[in-house]
């Protein structure tokens, strides 16, 4: 019976995809009031609205790894999370990303290292949203990311070392602040795959923040003397209006 309970517990955990969420106070800065952005980074199950402790990340950055932003902890779903502020002074497209510490997930016997990214347009300037910032694992939007409605198709390209990543699973979840109920656990995390050009598409059928996580297993890391694989995730957060 004990073995059955452990197995059932593992099944429940596998049904709940971990997401490193990253959202700004707005993805469209239109005035000075909105220009002092607050950007939050947290380790959660977006649809089910619960979370886990996020240890202090390596950093939160804007545009490239040279631009590290100050970190401040806060509590989300009763667990530690991290945030920063960034004051936008001129029109442009700004790309924020978080580099976390790898997290060991005992239920899956692997490390999880997901790098989330979010793109913000300021004062109407939109050039450059479709350009990569050079992360090892990265989703580049093929649809303008800060002007989408509920019902739009979002298309992205997954890059691995700058090259299209073929036949890669992309998990998709809605940040469910609307208290929606999924008919089964299988409906919580949607999954699509990249094609021969590294592209994937998904229809966002509800307003709100959507997380896209392209998962690539590569490398190993030692935990308590044993070697485990690393699940690397390229994440992109998109808001549908």
């Amino acid at each position: 019976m004990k073995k059955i309970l452990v197995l059932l517990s593992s099944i429940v955990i596998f049904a709940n995809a971990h997401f490193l969420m990253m959202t700004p106070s707005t993805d469209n800065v239109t005035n000075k009031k909105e220009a002092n952005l607050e950007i939050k980074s947290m380790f959660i199950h977006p649809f089910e609205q619960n979370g886990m402790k996020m240890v202090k990340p390596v950093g939160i950055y804007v545009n490239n790894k040279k631009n590290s932003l100050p970190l401040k902890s806060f509590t989300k779903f009763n667990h530690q999370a991290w945030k920063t502020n960034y004051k936008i002074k001129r029109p442009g497209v700004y790309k924020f990303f978080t580099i976390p510490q790898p997290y060991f997930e005992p239920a899956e016997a692997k490390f999880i290292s997901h790098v989330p990214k979010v793109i913000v347009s300021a004062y109407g300037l939109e050039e450059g949203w479709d350009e990569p910032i050079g992360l090892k694992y990265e989703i580049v939007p093929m649809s303008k990311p800060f002007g989408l409605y509920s019902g739009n198709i979002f298309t992205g390209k997954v890059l691995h070392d700058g090259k299209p990543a073929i036949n890669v699973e992309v998990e998709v979840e809605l940040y469910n602040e609307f208290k929606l109920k999924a008919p089964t656990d299988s409906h919580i995390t949607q999954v699509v795959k990249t094609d021969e050009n590294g592209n994937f598409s998904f229809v966002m059928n509800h307003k709100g923040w959507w997380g896209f996580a392209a998962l690539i297993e590569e490398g190993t890391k030692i935990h308590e003397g044993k070697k485990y694989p690393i699940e690397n995730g390229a994440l992109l957060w998109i808001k549908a209006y």
Side-chain angles (χ1 to χ4, degrees):
M1 177 60 78
K2 189 177 178 183
K3 282 184 179 176
I4 293 172
L5 289 174
V6 169
L7 177 60
L8 287 174
S9 171
S10 298
I11 289 170
V12 171
I13 290 168
F14 281 128
N16 305 338
H18 303 310
F19 274 75
L20 218 162
M21 183 169 184
M22 188 176 195
T23 52
S25 43
T26 179
D27 61 348
N28 274 282
V29 173
T30 59
N31 58 60
K32 281 187 178 178
K33 239 181 189 178
E34 298 169 338
N36 189 16
L37 286 175
E38 183 180 66
I39 301 125
K40 294 179 177 176
S41 200
M42 44 211 165
F43 200 29
I44 63 170
H45 299 132
F47 193 88
E48 294 163 294
Q49 296 285 284
N50 56 50
M52 296 154 285
K53 179 184 176 182
M54 180 180 174
V55 299
K56 189 175 183 178
V58 176
I60 297 179
Y61 305 86
V62 55
N63 295 334
N64 62 62
K65 288 181 186 173
K66 292 179 183 173
N67 299 323
S68 177
L69 303 175
L71 298 173
K72 189 176 177 182
S73 68
F74 73 104
T75 301
K76 183 70 177 179
F77 300 137
N78 298 318
H79 292 283
Q80 181 176 259
W82 297 88
K83 64 182 179 180
T84 189
N85 286 85
Y86 183 76
K87 194 166 186 177
I88 289 181
K89 297 177 181 171
R90 56 180 63 90
V93 168
Y94 295 80
K95 299 166 185 174
F96 299 91
F97 61 100
T98 299
I99 297 186
Q101 300 284 353
Y103 160 78
F104 181 68
E105 174 53 75
E108 300 183 49
K110 64 184 174 187
F111 282 90
I112 295 175
S113 180
H114 293 175
V115 176
K117 181 176 78 172
V118 67
I119 302 172
V120 174
S121 167
Y123 302 114
L125 205 150
E126 299 184 345
E127 288 180 15
W129 54 261
D130 55 349
E131 296 170 3
I133 54 179
L135 298 172
K136 186 173 179 64
Y137 312 95
E138 185 169 2
I139 296 176
V140 176
M142 306 297 283
S143 313
K144 188 171 72 175
F146 35 72
L148 293 166
Y149 292 102
S150 153
N152 280 165
I153 295 176
F154 172 72
T155 299
K157 180 186 285 291
V158 179
L159 299 179
H160 179 194
D161 289 327
K163 296 177 181 173
I166 301 166
N167 201 31
V168 167
E169 281 196 356
V170 181
E171 295 184 341
V172 187
E173 266 196 40
L174 171 69
Y175 182 67
N176 182 20
E177 55 189 330
F178 315 100
K179 299 182 179 176
L180 303 176
K181 301 291 181 192
T184 72
D185 283 348
S186 294
H187 291 80
I188 292 173
T189 306
Q190 304 289 301
V191 179
V192 294
K193 296 190 87 169
T194 59
D195 64 15
E196 66 275 10
N197 297 309
N199 295 335
F200 68 90
S201 295
F202 184 84
V203 176
M204 299 180 292
N205 63 347
H206 199 282
K207 68 178 182 179
W209 283 99
W210 288 85
F212 296 84
L215 306 178
I216 298 171
E217 201 163 287
E218 184 178 53
T220 58
K221 190 173 169 60
I222 302 292
H223 177 68
E224 295 180 346
K226 192 175 171 186
K227 198 182 282 187
Y228 291 95
I230 303 172
E231 178 189 273
N232 303 282
L235 270 72
L236 182 64
W237 283 90
I238 299 288
K239 187 175 182 180
Y241 286 77

